Amino acid sequence: MSIEFLDPTHESGPAPFAPAKRLATLRGATVGIVSNGKKGTQPFFHAVERELRERHGVAEVVRLTKANYSAPAEAEIMSEAERWQALISGVGD
Amino acid sequence: MRSRRYEVDDLHAAQEFFHSRGWTDGLPAVPPTVDAVNACLEWALMPPDQLVGIEPVRQRAITAEKLAVNAVMAGCLPMHFPVVVTAFSAMLQEPFLLHGATASTGGCAILIVVNGPIRAELGMSGSFNALGPSDRATTVIGRAIRLILCNLLDARPGEIDRSTLGHPGKISYCVAEDEEQSPWLPLAELRGVPPQASAVTVMAAGSPRQLMNEWSTQPEEILDTFVAEIRANMRHYSIWPGNYALIVPPQLRTHFARAGWSKADVQEYVCRKARIRRSEWNECGKGAVVGERGDREYAAFTGPDDVLVIAAGGPAGGFGAVIPPWYGNKSRAVTLAIGACVDCAV
């Protein structure tokens, strides 16, 4: 005898998402790095910042850190990000 | 009901269907038929489209229908469903930090503590094997929460669930407090729920750390063993303060009762004693992060109310357990009365 049952999943597709338009160049841009705050990210992002400045001619690198590893970035950070041309979401462990 | 429907030839085919889609935890699941799901909803007086809450990070709406589908799959009977709904409603409250707790590499599980008359109605036991599969209701309710996380929030291993290790409590982690054999007030009542109301407390929790002290009848000495275990967790896992659950079985409770110690006395003592200096990390291979703050003292608790004292366990044995928090006080334990409006003060 056959069995009919219901789908237990949320059945909604992924949230609408479109990648941001790529920059033609990083030269002269302001780039933000939002770190999740884990200690091991520090030397890595120091190196990323150096590369951005020295190799790509980035004008300003803004380094911000979330208050909580496991929560979304605070509204203040997202507000600040609106003036950047590029953002690196710095997840690290 | 709005869920998509599937039809297969028999029970065996249903199991393979579930497993092939990642809908279960590896154990067989009960097919969530329309009748079974309806029975859960009717028991809880909830229409299928009732919005239980919205997951705050991804803004995902959680309906009663979807909770019921997963509860049936986990093996719940209709009478178990209100506990599942209340537990998940508590998890959706902001202080719980649901997304972090289910996505973190830290690998915690959702500890569910049930208080009040509903324990007897559901045949829950807070006695033998209290932290294991002690009875049908606690096992299936804990499992329902796990299946809900997997199927409604994609918290499957390697997807949203990024746990490095996880622990066995992620299959099911539900305990009923042994209120009848306890000299103490129930956990939920101490956390503001009216006496005689049934309630659920949820906590993002690490695995239980079992301890033993059968050689003292003095409350201070018994609690020193619990404190040592908390301090070990601070040394070996995380130094940050948060909720710790202390599971105290009858043999140890006898000594507290004889000495006239209330839960508040236990909380105060443990809160005062459970602290370490950062320099202790030098002895644990973590000297690299001691830095200049070696003499700084860290407390396990921000206050006595952080200590969740729970009466549970079989009648014999001077054992106990400390259940540590997943990530300090970034996630807070939440208590909700069963059947209460979540938008109202309890």
Side-chain angles (χ1 to χ4, degrees):
Chain A
M1 190 173 134
S2 67
I3 302 173
E4 184 187 70
F5 52 82
L6 299 171
D7 189 322
T9 70
H10 53 85
E11 295 189 66
S12 54
F17 174 83
K21 190 177 175 185
R22 305 294 97 167
L23 298 176
T25 177
L26 288 172
R27 190 160 300 280
T30 298
V31 178
I33 301 176
V34 179
S35 168
N36 66 355
K38 295 208 173 183
K39 189 177 176 65
T41 63
Q42 293 173 12
F44 181 74
F45 291 132
H46 290 334
V48 170
E49 178 175 349
R50 191 169 58 245
E51 288 288 302
L52 288 170
R53 291 183 186 279
E54 295 177 2
R55 187 187 296 191
H56 298 284
V58 165
E60 184 185 4
V61 177
V62 182
R63 301 271 296 272
L64 296 179
T65 301
K66 295 197 303 176
N68 183 338
Y69 309 149
S70 299
E74 294 84 346
E76 297 76 23
I77 292 178
M78 299 311 293
S79 176
E80 169 77 5
E82 290 182 12
R83 73 175 187 88
W84 307 336
Q85 281 76 58
L87 186 159
I88 297 171
S89 179
V91 176
D93 222 324
Chain B
M1 279 186 269
R2 299 179 65 176
S3 296
R4 184 173 174 183
R5 299 178 187 212
Y6 297 90
E7 186 170 351
V8 297
D9 289 342
D10 54 27
L11 187 59
H12 178 74
Q15 298 306 322
E16 295 310 310
F17 191 94
F18 299 157
H19 288 297
S20 69
R21 282 161 177 75
W23 288 357
T24 88
D25 47 12
L27 296 170
V30 176
T33 62
V34 169
D35 286 349
V37 172
N38 252 332
C40 284
L41 294 168
E42 287 176 7
W43 185 278
L45 303 175
M46 301 177 84
D49 60 353
Q50 181 168 326
L51 184 64
V52 174
I54 296 177
E55 191 281 320
V57 171
R58 285 182 291 162
Q59 299 291 300
R60 186 163 284 173
I62 306 295
T63 63
E65 175 180 331
K66 287 299 187 183
L67 294 185
V69 172
N70 282 280
V72 169
M73 288 185 74
C76 287
L77 298 173
M79 63 181 174
H80 301 143
F81 187 54
V83 181
V84 174
V85 173
T86 307
F88 204 74
S89 299
M91 290 160 61
L92 287 170
Q93 296 213 351
E94 192 172 341
F96 191 78
L97 198 66
L98 177 59
H99 178 76
T102 51
S104 171
T105 50
C108 73
I110 313 301
L111 175 67
I112 304 160
V113 185
V114 183
N115 283 112
I118 200 165
R119 295 166 304 116
E121 295 164 18
L122 302 186
M124 289 177 155
S125 169
S127 181
F128 294 105
N129 207 38
L131 294 178
S134 55
D135 60 87
R136 179 181 187 176
T138 53
T139 297
V140 298
I141 288 168
R143 188 186 183 208
I145 292 300
R146 175 63 184 169
L147 294 187
I148 289 165
L149 292 173
C150 289
N151 288 325
L152 299 186
L153 298 179
D154 307 311
R156 301 183 186 89
E159 296 180 31
I160 293 296
D161 181 343
R162 312 300 290 182
S163 300
T164 306
L165 298 175
H167 66 79
K170 293 185 82 162
I171 297 173
S172 177
Y173 208 7
C174 179
V175 60
E177 185 162 16
D178 184 8
E179 297 176 20
E180 289 70 21
Q181 312 304 320
S182 170
W184 291 328
L185 290 175
L187 175 72
E189 190 173 333
L190 285 170
R191 291 173 60 80
V193 172
Q196 296 307 311
S198 293
V200 176
T201 299
V202 292
M203 171 183 155
S207 54
R209 303 170 64 102
Q210 184 160 315
L211 53 91
M212 178 170 64
N213 186 346
E214 299 183 319
W215 304 279
S216 176
T217 60
Q218 301 303 311
E220 294 90 343
E221 290 182 350
I222 293 167
L223 290 178
D224 284 344
T225 308
F226 281 85
V227 166
E229 198 60 49
I230 294 169
R231 295 179 69 241
N233 186 69
M234 296 172 76
R235 289 159 60 103
H236 307 156
Y237 180 61
S238 173
I239 204 166
W240 301 113
N243 292 119
Y244 279 79
L246 311 187
I247 309 298
V248 188
Q251 185 168 314
L252 298 186
R253 293 203 297 270
T254 301
H255 306 313
F256 290 104
R258 190 173 293 136
W261 278 49
S262 66
K263 277 190 179 179
D265 295 324
V266 172
Q267 290 172 304
E268 191 281 326
Y269 185 88
V270 171
C271 180
R272 181 160 45 85
K273 299 269 288 196
R275 45 193 74 218
I276 69 169
R277 290 195 186 282
R278 194 176 181 93
S279 59
E280 293 182 41
W281 278 2
N282 283 319
E283 303 160 22
C284 314
K286 299 185 181 184
V289 287
V290 170
E292 303 295 312
R293 292 170 286 171
D295 287 337
R296 181 174 162 188
E297 187 178 75
Y298 290 73
F301 304 98
T302 55
D305 289 345
D306 281 358
V307 189
L308 311 182
V309 184
I310 298 158
F319 303 100
V322 165
I323 299 180
W326 151 60
Y327 177 26
N329 58 22
K330 299 293 184 185
S331 171
R332 307 292 299 169
V334 176
T335 300
L336 277 185
I338 296 171
C341 170
V342 296
D343 296 323
C344 308
V346 172

